[in-house]
Amino acid sequence: MEEEQDPQLPSFDFKPFMVHKVNAVNQALDSAVPLRDPVKIHEAMRYSLLAGGKRVRPILCLAACDLVGGKESMVMPAACALEMIHTMSLVHDDLPCMDNDDLRRGKPTNHKIYGEDIAVLAGDALLAFSFEHIAVSTVGVTPDRIVRAIGELAKSIGAEGLAAGQVVDISSEGLTNVGLDHLEFIHVHKTAPLLEAAAILGAILGGGRDEDVEKLRKFARNIGLLFQVVDDILDVTKSSKELGKTAGKDLVADKVTYPKLMGINKSKEFVEKLKSDALELLQGFDPEKSAPLIALANYIAYRQN
Amino acid sequence: MEEEQDPQLPSFDFKPFMVHKVNAVNQALDSAVPLRDPVKIHEAMRYSLLAGGKRVRPILCLAACDLVGGKESMVMPAACALEMIHTMSLVHDDLPCMDNDDLRRGKPTNHKIYGEDIAVLAGDALLAFSFEHIAVSTVGVTPDRIVRAIGELAKSIGAEGLAAGQVVDISSEGLTNVGLDHLEFIHVHKTAPLLEAAAILGAILGGGRDEDVEKLRKFARNIGLLFQVVDDILDVTKSSKELGKTAGKDLVADKVTYPKLMGINKSKEFVEKLKSDALELLQGFDPEKSAPLIALANYIAYRQN
């Protein structure tokens, strides 16, 4: 019966849901990383962590946990850990030896304020603390599920995940014969891993069955690629002011992107295809509990920054 | 009865023990990080990981596990993880924006070979993989002990551990009014955290009692400070060739060191004091099983590079 129902419930009001969740996540992040000694590194960590990101990863994690019947307290430390790791990757990405970015989330980048050395260390500390936070602060979950969640999260960051995408991205700059497969590899590895980790950590820590974990994994892979294609489109269609970060970077860096390979219109069609594929994977779940995930996929597809 | 026995067993032959353990650790590291796609980042990770370090942290971990009656297989992934993290901290430390070092373990530093961007990412990937490796590859240990070990390890790296020491170290360069307390803070945080993690992870994963974990924690804190004081002494008394890394760096960077604060002779006396304090903590354990730890403390105190 559930499968026959339209998953696009018109009754779900996304904006207040997001505002509520963003506030909860921001509060949890603020308490997780207090300003203590040594002050300088904690200040640098907090500067980028609390700079007002969209909190897509933590909210995806919370929604996945709810979908499988888990409680928010089981998964909030993991949700915060995901944002810490995301922040680390931005801080390191913005370094002069990487993308050399001066502006992020509408503010000067971490190394612009604290210096490159502190930015490197603040990123390392955020990465390490994300694992500490899950290991120490997760409550109401059996240790075997915590170990499994840590294994999945760590895998999503390393040389088979985030870092792999970044390395291949760097190696591809200025290449002219890059195909769609290659581009998809970069994109799937640069954005999807953490979104995938977010969804499956929610399901694992929330007590989900293995088959639900795998459905959420596929859902997240789809919206991960979706997220990146939209990012590529925004980079060429919006100004720096609208984005809150430097626009047109991909063109300047001579990076291969979807708009460059298939044009803006085909890229937008691809966004629609990825979105509907993702939503199909949510059929069979309780429609009330899948509504936030559907809304999140729509939000990622149609966001303006 | 054990407590009355001389812990300095003359029968223990340290050199073959170390050779055997170093080989076992190197083999485990080689299999843990195979050369696979994307090749470049795995190559960079392996370049620094397999560059022939002393493997003090993994061996301390293995010896602590043996001390509490655990088997090597329980703790080898954690031992490897410690070396991955140590390597990450060296790769990031050597970056131009940090210590700007060209030479490490007698070879060009990671960024000299692979570029700064890859060096940052290879470090991040090693850090992430260390947690994946413990979570996924540890066998014969209950999940609650694995979670506890991950929490302790993560804490030792972050803003209260390694990174704290580095930040305070950076902030202290060129300061003239730095006292012994301040220096000890830097040293305790820069070296001791990973040695402490090594010892207690061995005890936790090897099935040790809480009181043994705490004894090993204190032992490791002592030899951690010992390690750093010896490093300071070697930096001013040895050549770059003898050390396999750039000598005299501390003087050039105008860093505060033990020899600078208390002179070479008093620094050497301090080494003796720290060593005998450490050995006292091992009384009460099976002398045969504590012999490697005693020998390790002596090795750290009297090493020449």
Side-chain angles (χ1 to χ4, degrees), chain B residues 129-210:
Chain B
F129 186 64
S130 68
F131 290 102
E132 181 183 347
H133 197 51
I134 296 182
V136 172
S137 303
T138 300
V139 285
V141 180
T142 55
D144 59 312
R145 282 187 183 256
I146 299 177
V147 172
R148 195 172 146 203
I150 288 171
E152 290 278 4
L153 178 61
K155 190 171 179 177
S156 76
I157 311 165
E160 290 174 87
L162 269 191
Q166 286 170 302
V167 166
V168 177
D169 192 19
I170 290 167
S171 317
S172 308
E173 276 179 34
L175 289 183
T176 47
N177 59 345
V178 167
L180 269 180
D181 284 356
H182 185 91
L183 183 59
E184 196 168 307
F185 176 92
I186 297 172
H187 283 18
V188 163
H189 283 79
K190 268 188 78 171
T191 310
L194 265 192
L195 290 170
E196 183 178 326
I200 63 173
L201 259 62
I204 292 169
L205 296 169
R209 298 171 303 172
D210 286 358

Coordinates of all heavy atoms in Angstrom, one line a residue, chain B residues 129-210:
Chain B
F129 N 42.4 6.6 7.5 CA 42.5 5.1 7.3 C 42.9 4.4 8.6 O 42.5 3.3 8.8 CB 43.5 4.8 6.2 CG 43.6 3.3 5.9 CD1 42.5 2.6 5.4 CD2 44.7 2.6 6.2 CE1 42.5 1.3 5.2 CE2 44.8 1.2 6.0 CZ 43.6 0.5 5.5
S130 N 43.6 5.2 9.5 CA 44.0 4.6 10.7 C 42.8 4.1 11.5 O 42.8 3.0 12.1 CB 44.9 5.5 11.5 OG 44.1 6.6 12.0
F131 N 41.7 4.9 11.5 CA 40.5 4.6 12.2 C 39.8 3.4 11.5 O 39.2 2.5 12.2 CB 39.6 5.8 12.4 CG 40.2 6.8 13.4 CD1 40.9 7.9 13.0 CD2 40.2 6.5 14.8 CE1 41.4 8.8 13.9 CE2 40.7 7.4 15.7 CZ 41.4 8.6 15.2
E132 N 39.7 3.5 10.2 CA 39.1 2.4 9.4 C 39.8 1.1 9.7 O 39.1 0.1 10.0 CB 39.2 2.8 7.9 CG 38.5 1.7 7.1 CD 38.7 2.0 5.6 OE1 39.1 3.1 5.2 OE2 38.4 1.1 4.8
H133 N 41.1 1.1 9.8 CA 41.9 -0.1 10.0 C 41.6 -0.7 11.3 O 41.3 -2.0 11.4 CB 43.3 0.2 9.8 CG 44.2 -1.0 9.6 ND1 43.9 -1.9 8.6 CD2 45.3 -1.4 10.2 CE1 44.9 -2.9 8.7 NE2 45.7 -2.6 9.6
I134 N 41.5 0.1 12.4 CA 41.2 -0.5 13.7 C 39.8 -1.0 13.7 O 39.5 -2.1 14.2 CB 41.3 0.6 14.8 CG1 42.8 1.0 14.9 CG2 40.9 0.0 16.1 CD1 43.0 2.0 16.0
A135 N 38.8 -0.2 13.1 CA 37.4 -0.6 13.2 C 37.1 -1.9 12.4 O 36.3 -2.7 12.8 CB 36.5 0.5 12.7
V136 N 37.8 -2.0 11.2 CA 37.5 -3.1 10.3 C 38.4 -4.3 10.5 O 37.9 -5.5 10.4 CB 37.6 -2.6 8.8 CG1 37.5 -3.7 7.9 CG2 36.6 -1.5 8.6
S137 N 39.6 -4.2 10.9 CA 40.6 -5.3 10.9 C 40.9 -5.9 12.3 O 41.6 -6.9 12.3 CB 41.8 -4.9 10.2 OG 41.6 -4.4 8.9
T138 N 40.5 -5.3 13.3 CA 40.8 -5.8 14.6 C 39.9 -7.1 14.9 O 38.7 -7.1 14.6 CB 40.4 -4.8 15.8 OG1 41.2 -3.6 15.6 CG2 40.7 -5.4 17.1
V139 N 40.6 -8.2 15.3 CA 39.9 -9.5 15.5 C 40.2 -10.0 16.9 O 41.2 -9.7 17.5 CB 40.3 -10.6 14.5 CG1 39.7 -10.3 13.1 CG2 41.8 -10.7 14.4
G140 N 39.1 -10.7 17.4 CA 39.3 -11.3 18.7 C 39.2 -10.3 19.9 O 39.6 -10.7 21.0
V141 N 38.6 -9.2 19.7 CA 38.4 -8.2 20.7 C 37.0 -7.8 20.8 O 36.3 -7.6 19.7 CB 39.3 -6.9 20.5 CG1 39.1 -5.9 21.6 CG2 40.8 -7.3 20.3
T142 N 36.4 -7.6 22.0 CA 35.0 -7.2 22.1 C 34.8 -5.8 21.6 O 35.7 -4.9 21.8 CB 34.5 -7.3 23.5 OG1 35.3 -6.5 24.3 CG2 34.5 -8.8 24.0
P143 N 33.7 -5.5 20.9 CA 33.4 -4.2 20.3 C 33.5 -3.0 21.4 O 34.0 -1.9 21.0 CB 32.0 -4.3 19.8 CG 31.7 -5.7 19.6 CD 32.5 -6.4 20.6
D144 N 33.2 -3.3 22.6 CA 33.2 -2.2 23.6 C 34.7 -1.8 23.8 O 35.0 -0.6 24.0 CB 32.6 -2.6 24.9 CG 33.2 -3.8 25.5 OD1 33.4 -4.8 24.8 OD2 33.5 -3.8 26.7
R145 N 35.6 -2.7 23.8 CA 37.0 -2.4 23.9 C 37.6 -1.7 22.7 O 38.4 -0.8 22.8 CB 37.9 -3.6 24.2 CG 37.8 -4.1 25.7 CD 38.7 -5.2 26.0 NE 38.5 -5.6 27.4 CZ 39.3 -5.3 28.4 NH1 40.4 -4.5 28.2 NH2 39.1 -5.7 29.6
I146 N 37.0 -2.0 21.5 CA 37.5 -1.4 20.3 C 37.0 0.1 20.3 O 37.8 1.0 20.0 CB 36.9 -2.1 19.0 CG1 37.4 -3.5 18.9 CG2 37.3 -1.3 17.7 CD1 36.9 -4.3 17.8
V147 N 35.7 0.3 20.7 CA 35.2 1.7 20.8 C 36.1 2.5 21.8 O 36.4 3.7 21.5 CB 33.7 1.7 21.2 CG1 33.3 3.1 21.5 CG2 32.9 1.1 20.1
R148 N 36.4 1.9 22.9 CA 37.2 2.6 23.9 C 38.6 3.0 23.4 O 39.1 4.1 23.6 CB 37.3 1.7 25.2 CG 37.8 2.3 26.4 CD 37.7 1.3 27.6 NE 38.8 1.5 28.5 CZ 39.2 0.6 29.4 NH1 38.6 -0.6 29.3 NH2 40.2 0.8 30.2
A149 N 39.2 2.0 22.7 CA 40.5 2.2 22.1 C 40.4 3.4 21.0 O 41.3 4.3 21.0 CB 41.0 1.0 21.4
I150 N 39.4 3.4 20.2 CA 39.3 4.5 19.2 C 39.1 5.8 19.9 O 39.7 6.8 19.4 CB 38.1 4.1 18.2 CG1 38.5 3.0 17.3 CG2 37.7 5.4 17.4 CD1 37.3 2.4 16.5
G151 N 38.3 5.9 20.9 CA 38.1 7.1 21.7 C 39.5 7.6 22.2 O 39.8 8.8 22.1
E152 N 40.2 6.8 22.8 CA 41.5 7.2 23.4 C 42.5 7.6 22.3 O 43.2 8.6 22.4 CB 42.2 6.0 24.2 CG 41.5 5.6 25.4 CD 41.9 6.5 26.6 OE1 42.7 7.5 26.4 OE2 41.4 6.3 27.7
L153 N 42.5 6.9 21.2 CA 43.5 7.2 20.1 C 43.1 8.5 19.5 O 44.0 9.4 19.3 CB 43.4 6.1 19.0 CG 44.3 6.3 17.8 CD1 45.7 6.4 18.2 CD2 44.1 5.2 16.7
A154 N 41.8 8.8 19.2 CA 41.4 10.0 18.6 C 41.8 11.2 19.5 O 42.2 12.2 19.1 CB 39.9 10.0 18.3
K155 N 41.5 11.0 20.8 CA 41.8 12.1 21.8 C 43.3 12.5 21.8 O 43.7 13.6 21.9 CB 41.4 11.6 23.2 CG 41.5 12.7 24.2 CD 40.9 12.3 25.5 CE 41.0 13.5 26.5 NZ 40.3 13.1 27.8
S156 N 44.2 11.5 21.6 CA 45.6 11.7 21.6 C 46.1 12.5 20.4 O 47.2 13.1 20.5 CB 46.4 10.4 21.6 OG 46.4 9.8 20.4
I157 N 45.3 12.6 19.4 CA 45.7 13.3 18.1 C 45.3 14.8 18.1 O 45.9 15.6 17.5 CB 45.1 12.6 16.9 CG1 45.4 11.1 16.9 CG2 45.7 13.3 15.6 CD1 44.5 10.4 15.9
G158 N 44.1 15.0 18.7 CA 43.4 16.3 18.5 C 43.9 17.5 19.2 O 45.1 17.6 19.6
A159 N 43.0 18.4 19.5 CA 43.3 19.7 20.1 C 43.7 19.6 21.5 O 44.1 20.6 22.1 CB 42.1 20.6 19.9
E160 N 43.5 18.4 22.1 CA 44.1 18.2 23.5 C 45.3 17.4 23.5 O 45.9 17.1 24.5 CB 43.0 17.5 24.3 CG 41.8 18.4 24.7 CD 40.7 17.5 25.4 OE1 40.8 17.5 26.6 OE2 39.9 17.0 24.7
G161 N 45.7 16.9 22.3 CA 46.9 16.0 22.2 C 48.0 16.6 21.3 O 48.4 17.7 21.5
L162 N 48.3 15.8 20.3 CA 49.3 16.2 19.3 C 49.2 17.6 18.8 O 50.1 18.4 18.8 CB 49.2 15.3 18.1 CG 50.0 14.0 18.0 CD1 49.9 13.4 16.6 CD2 51.5 14.2 18.4
A163 N 48.0 17.9 18.3 CA 47.7 19.2 17.6 C 47.9 20.3 18.6 O 48.4 21.4 18.3 CB 46.4 19.2 17.0
A164 N 47.5 20.1 19.9 CA 47.7 21.2 20.9 C 49.2 21.5 21.1 O 49.6 22.7 21.1 CB 47.1 20.7 22.2
G165 N 50.0 20.5 21.2 CA 51.4 20.7 21.3 C 52.0 21.4 20.2 O 52.8 22.3 20.4
Q166 N 51.6 21.1 18.9 CA 52.1 21.7 17.8 C 51.7 23.2 17.7 O 52.6 24.1 17.4 CB 51.7 21.0 16.5 CG 52.4 19.7 16.3 CD 51.8 18.8 15.2 OE1 50.6 18.5 15.3 NE2 52.6 18.5 14.2
V167 N 50.5 23.5 18.1 CA 50.0 24.9 18.0 C 50.8 25.7 19.0 O 51.3 26.8 18.7 CB 48.5 24.9 18.3 CG1 48.1 26.4 18.6 CG2 47.7 24.4 17.1
V168 N 50.9 25.2 20.3 CA 51.6 26.0 21.3 C 53.1 26.1 20.9 O 53.7 27.2 21.1 CB 51.5 25.3 22.7 CG1 52.3 26.1 23.7 CG2 50.0 25.3 23.1
D169 N 53.7 25.1 20.3 CA 55.1 25.1 19.8 C 55.2 26.2 18.8 O 56.1 27.1 18.9 CB 55.4 23.8 19.2 CG 56.9 23.6 18.9 OD1 57.7 24.3 19.5 OD2 57.2 22.7 18.1
I170 N 54.3 26.3 17.8 CA 54.4 27.3 16.8 C 54.3 28.7 17.4 O 55.0 29.6 17.0 CB 53.2 27.1 15.7 CG1 53.5 25.9 14.9 CG2 53.0 28.3 14.9 CD1 52.3 25.4 14.1
S171 N 53.3 28.8 18.3 CA 53.1 30.1 18.9 C 54.3 30.6 19.8 O 54.4 31.8 20.1 CB 51.8 30.1 19.8 OG 50.8 29.4 19.2
S172 N 55.1 29.6 20.2 CA 56.2 30.0 21.1 C 57.5 30.3 20.4 O 58.4 30.8 21.1 CB 56.5 28.8 22.1 OG 55.3 28.3 22.7
E173 N 57.6 30.1 19.1 CA 58.8 30.4 18.4 C 59.2 31.9 18.6 O 58.4 32.7 18.3 CB 58.7 30.1 16.9 CG 59.0 28.6 16.6 CD 58.8 28.2 15.2 OE1 59.1 29.1 14.3 OE2 58.4 27.1 14.9
G174 N 60.5 32.1 18.9 CA 60.9 33.5 19.1 C 60.6 34.1 20.4 O 61.1 35.2 20.7
L175 N 59.8 33.5 21.2 CA 59.5 34.0 22.6 C 60.7 33.8 23.4 O 61.4 32.8 23.4 CB 58.3 33.2 23.2 CG 56.9 33.5 22.6 CD1 55.9 32.7 23.5 CD2 56.6 35.0 22.7
T176 N 61.0 34.8 24.3 CA 62.2 34.7 25.1 C 61.9 34.3 26.6 O 62.8 33.8 27.3 CB 63.0 36.0 25.1 OG1 62.1 37.1 25.4 CG2 63.7 36.3 23.8
N177 N 60.7 34.5 27.0 CA 60.4 34.3 28.4 C 59.6 33.0 28.6 O 58.7 32.9 29.4 CB 59.6 35.4 29.0 CG 58.3 35.6 28.2 OD1 58.2 35.1 27.1 ND2 57.4 36.4 28.8
V178 N 60.0 31.9 27.9 CA 59.3 30.6 28.1 C 60.0 29.8 29.2 O 61.2 29.6 29.2 CB 59.4 29.8 26.7 CG1 59.0 28.4 26.9 CG2 58.5 30.5 25.7
G179 N 59.2 29.4 30.1 CA 59.7 28.6 31.3 C 59.6 27.1 31.1 O 59.1 26.6 30.1
L180 N 60.1 26.4 32.1 CA 60.1 24.9 32.0 C 58.7 24.3 31.9 O 58.4 23.3 31.2 CB 60.8 24.3 33.2 CG 62.3 24.1 33.1 CD1 62.9 23.5 34.4 CD2 62.6 23.2 31.9
D181 N 57.7 24.9 32.7 CA 56.3 24.4 32.7 C 55.8 24.5 31.2 O 55.2 23.5 30.8 CB 55.4 25.3 33.5 CG 55.7 25.0 35.0 OD1 56.5 24.1 35.3 OD2 55.1 25.7 35.8
H182 N 56.0 25.6 30.6 CA 55.5 25.8 29.2 C 56.2 24.8 28.3 O 55.5 24.2 27.4 CB 55.9 27.3 28.8 CG 55.3 27.7 27.5 ND1 54.1 28.3 27.4 CD2 55.8 27.6 26.3 CE1 53.8 28.5 26.1 NE2 54.9 28.1 25.4
L183 N 57.5 24.6 28.4 CA 58.2 23.7 27.6 C 57.7 22.3 27.8 O 57.5 21.5 26.8 CB 59.7 23.8 27.9 CG 60.6 22.9 27.0 CD1 60.5 23.3 25.6 CD2 62.1 23.0 27.5
E184 N 57.5 22.0 29.0 CA 57.0 20.6 29.3 C 55.6 20.4 28.7 O 55.3 19.3 28.2 CB 56.9 20.3 30.8 CG 56.8 18.8 31.1 CD 57.1 18.5 32.6 OE1 58.2 18.9 33.1 OE2 56.3 17.8 33.2
F185 N 54.8 21.5 28.7 CA 53.4 21.3 28.1 C 53.6 21.0 26.6 O 52.9 20.1 26.1 CB 52.6 22.7 28.2 CG 51.3 22.6 27.5 CD1 50.2 22.3 28.2 CD2 51.2 22.9 26.1 CE1 48.9 22.2 27.5 CE2 50.0 22.9 25.5 CZ 48.9 22.5 26.2
I186 N 54.5 21.7 25.9 CA 54.7 21.5 24.5 C 55.2 20.0 24.3 O 54.6 19.3 23.5 CB 55.7 22.4 23.9 CG1 55.2 23.9 24.0 CG2 56.1 22.1 22.5 CD1 56.3 24.9 23.6
H187 N 56.2 19.7 25.1 CA 56.8 18.3 24.8 C 55.8 17.2 25.2 O 55.7 16.2 24.5 CB 58.1 18.2 25.7 CG 59.2 19.0 25.0 ND1 59.0 19.9 24.1 CD2 60.5 18.9 25.1 CE1 60.1 20.4 23.6 NE2 61.1 19.8 24.3
V188 N 55.1 17.4 26.3 CA 54.2 16.3 26.7 C 53.1 16.2 25.7 O 52.7 15.1 25.4 CB 53.6 16.7 28.1 CG1 52.3 15.9 28.3 CG2 54.6 16.4 29.2
H189 N 52.7 17.3 25.0 CA 51.6 17.2 24.0 C 52.1 16.8 22.7 O 51.4 16.3 21.9 CB 50.9 18.5 24.0 CG 49.9 18.7 25.1 ND1 50.3 19.1 26.3 CD2 48.6 18.5 25.2 CE1 49.3 19.1 27.2 NE2 48.2 18.7 26.5
K190 N 53.4 17.1 22.4 CA 53.9 16.8 21.0 C 54.3 15.3 20.8 O 54.1 14.8 19.7 CB 55.1 17.7 20.6 CG 54.6 19.0 19.9 CD 55.8 19.7 19.4 CE 56.4 19.1 18.1 NZ 57.4 20.0 17.5
T191 N 54.8 14.7 21.8 CA 55.3 13.4 21.7 C 54.5 12.4 22.5 O 54.2 11.3 22.1 CB 56.8 13.3 22.0 OG1 57.5 14.3 21.3 CG2 57.3 11.9 21.6
A192 N 54.3 12.7 23.8 CA 53.7 11.8 24.7 C 52.3 11.2 24.3 O 52.1 10.1 24.5 CB 53.6 12.4 26.1
P193 N 51.5 12.0 23.7 CA 50.1 11.5 23.4 C 50.1 10.2 22.6 O 49.4 9.3 22.9 CB 49.4 12.7 22.6 CG 50.1 13.9 23.0 CD 51.6 13.5 23.3
L194 N 50.9 10.2 21.5 CA 50.8 9.0 20.7 C 51.5 7.8 21.4 O 51.1 6.6 21.2 CB 51.5 9.2 19.3 CG 50.6 9.6 18.2 CD1 51.3 9.5 16.9 CD2 49.3 8.7 18.1
L195 N 52.5 8.1 22.2 CA 53.2 7.0 23.0 C 52.2 6.5 24.0 O 52.1 5.3 24.3 CB 54.5 7.5 23.6 CG 55.6 7.7 22.6 CD1 56.8 8.4 23.3 CD2 56.1 6.4 22.0
E196 N 51.5 7.4 24.7 CA 50.5 7.1 25.7 C 49.4 6.2 25.0 O 49.0 5.2 25.5 CB 49.9 8.3 26.3 CG 48.9 8.1 27.4 CD 48.4 9.4 28.0 OE1 49.1 10.3 28.1 OE2 47.2 9.4 28.3
A197 N 48.9 6.7 23.8 CA 47.9 5.9 23.1 C 48.4 4.5 22.8 O 47.7 3.5 22.9 CB 47.5 6.7 21.9
A198 N 49.7 4.4 22.4 CA 50.3 3.1 22.0 C 50.2 2.2 23.2 O 49.7 1.0 23.0 CB 51.7 3.3 21.5
A199 N 50.6 2.6 24.3 CA 50.7 1.8 25.5 C 49.3 1.4 26.0 O 49.0 0.2 26.2 CB 51.4 2.5 26.6
I200 N 48.4 2.3 26.1 CA 47.1 2.0 26.6 C 46.2 1.2 25.6 O 45.4 0.4 25.9 CB 46.3 3.2 27.2 CG1 46.0 4.2 26.1 CG2 47.1 3.8 28.3 CD1 45.1 5.4 26.6
L201 N 46.4 1.5 24.3 CA 45.7 0.7 23.3 C 46.1 -0.8 23.3 O 45.3 -1.7 23.2 CB 45.9 1.2 21.9 CG 44.7 2.1 21.3 CD1 44.5 3.3 22.2 CD2 44.9 2.4 19.9
G202 N 47.4 -1.0 23.5 CA 47.9 -2.4 23.7 C 47.2 -3.0 24.9 O 46.7 -4.2 24.8
A203 N 47.1 -2.3 26.0 CA 46.5 -2.9 27.2 C 45.0 -3.0 27.1 O 44.4 -4.1 27.5 CB 46.8 -2.0 28.4
I204 N 44.3 -2.1 26.5 CA 42.9 -2.1 26.3 C 42.5 -3.3 25.4 O 41.7 -4.1 25.7 CB 42.3 -0.8 25.8 CG1 42.4 0.3 26.8 CG2 40.8 -1.0 25.4 CD1 42.1 1.7 26.3
L205 N 43.1 -3.3 24.2 CA 42.7 -4.3 23.2 C 43.3 -5.7 23.6 O 42.7 -6.7 23.2 CB 43.3 -3.9 21.8 CG 42.7 -2.6 21.2 CD1 43.5 -2.2 20.0 CD2 41.2 -2.8 20.9
G206 N 44.3 -5.7 24.4 CA 44.9 -7.0 24.8 C 44.1 -7.6 26.0 O 44.4 -8.7 26.5
G207 N 43.1 -6.9 26.5 CA 42.2 -7.4 27.5 C 42.7 -7.1 28.9 O 42.3 -7.7 29.9
G208 N 43.5 -6.0 29.1 CA 44.0 -5.7 30.4 C 43.0 -5.1 31.3 O 42.0 -4.6 30.9
R209 N 43.3 -5.2 32.7 CA 42.4 -4.6 33.7 C 42.6 -3.1 33.7 O 43.7 -2.6 33.3 CB 42.8 -5.1 35.1 CG 42.6 -6.6 35.2 CD 43.2 -7.1 36.6 NE 44.6 -6.7 36.6 CZ 45.4 -6.8 37.7 NH1 44.9 -7.3 38.9 NH2 46.7 -6.5 37.7
D210 N 41.6 -2.3 34.2 CA 41.7 -0.9 34.2 C 43.0 -0.4 34.9 O 43.6 0.6 34.5 CB 40.5 -0.3 34.9 CG 39.2 -0.4 34.0 OD1 39.4 -0.9 32.8 OD2 38.2 0.0 34.4

